[in-house]
Amino acid sequence: MTTTNSLRQWSGQMPVASPETKPFWDACNEERFLLQKCPDCGRFQYHYRAFCSHCWSRNIEDYVSAGHGTIWTYSVVKKNRTPGYEGKTPYVVAIVELEGGTKVFGNVVDLDPDDAHIGMPVELIFAVADTGQKIPLFSASHPSAS
């Protein structure tokens, strides 16, 4: 899925891990992106949580995503004065559809914002923050053939 060569620096806002989401962020540090699958209803979910958002079962299993997806919808950010984002505009944020129909929100890199389009294939990569935490992103220039 991802190689160390694809790591880049992250300077945006940092996630705050809770006891509930710590396994997700620990997996990111191992360059694994966790979705969850409920064996009771058979559905996938994201964001990481302690129960199924579809049927409320607590019988949730981790599922390591292959990281291949397509842009389901997107927006081009042209202004952002938030610390850590100044000077990075324009950039693309998107909802990416992964396996199981799971939709994930994230930045799309390696892409001219004018070239972004719905249905564009993307692949999961990771950036690393000064703290060492790895942050999931999507790359438009490295999609694997599916």
Side-chain angles (χ1 to χ4, degrees):
M1 168 176 43
T2 296
T3 64
T4 305
N5 297 346
S6 67
L7 288 179
R8 57 195 70 211
Q9 283 300 120
W10 177 258
S11 63
Q13 291 181 331
M14 291 297 298
V16 177
S18 68
E20 185 175 59
T21 63
K22 187 177 183 320
F24 173 82
W25 292 110
D26 288 348
C28 284
N29 286 337
E30 297 169 358
E31 297 189 29
R32 295 181 305 120
F33 187 83
L34 295 182
L35 300 176
Q36 293 174 305
K37 187 171 183 182
C38 176
D40 293 339
C41 71
R43 295 180 71 184
F44 286 90
Q45 71 179 16
Y46 177 86
H47 291 288
Y48 201 86
R49 58 189 70 126
F51 59 90
C52 177
S53 62
H54 306 287
C55 73
W56 298 90
S57 170
R58 291 206 171 267
N59 188 22
I60 296 295
E61 297 174 350
D62 288 345
Y63 177 90
V64 179
S65 173
H68 309 294
T70 57
I71 294 177
W72 188 74
T73 192
Y74 70 96
S75 182
V76 176
V77 178
K78 295 186 178 182
K79 286 187 179 186
N80 189 344
R81 295 185 190 130
T82 305
Y85 296 89
E86 314 94 336
K88 294 183 179 182
T89 56
Y91 61 90
V92 175
V93 292
I95 296 177
V96 173
E97 185 170 6
L98 297 173
E99 58 265 44
T102 306
K103 294 179 180 69
V104 177
F105 182 79
N107 289 42
V108 180
V109 297
D110 305 325
L111 169 69
D112 180 327
D114 290 336
D115 294 335
H117 62 273
I118 292 170
M120 174 179 267
V122 293
E123 184 172 351
L124 182 71
I125 63 169
F126 291 89
V128 65
D130 290 341
T131 63
Q133 176 64 56
K134 291 183 181 173
I135 307 295
L137 304 170
F138 292 94
S139 172
S141 71
H142 299 96
S144 297
S146 305

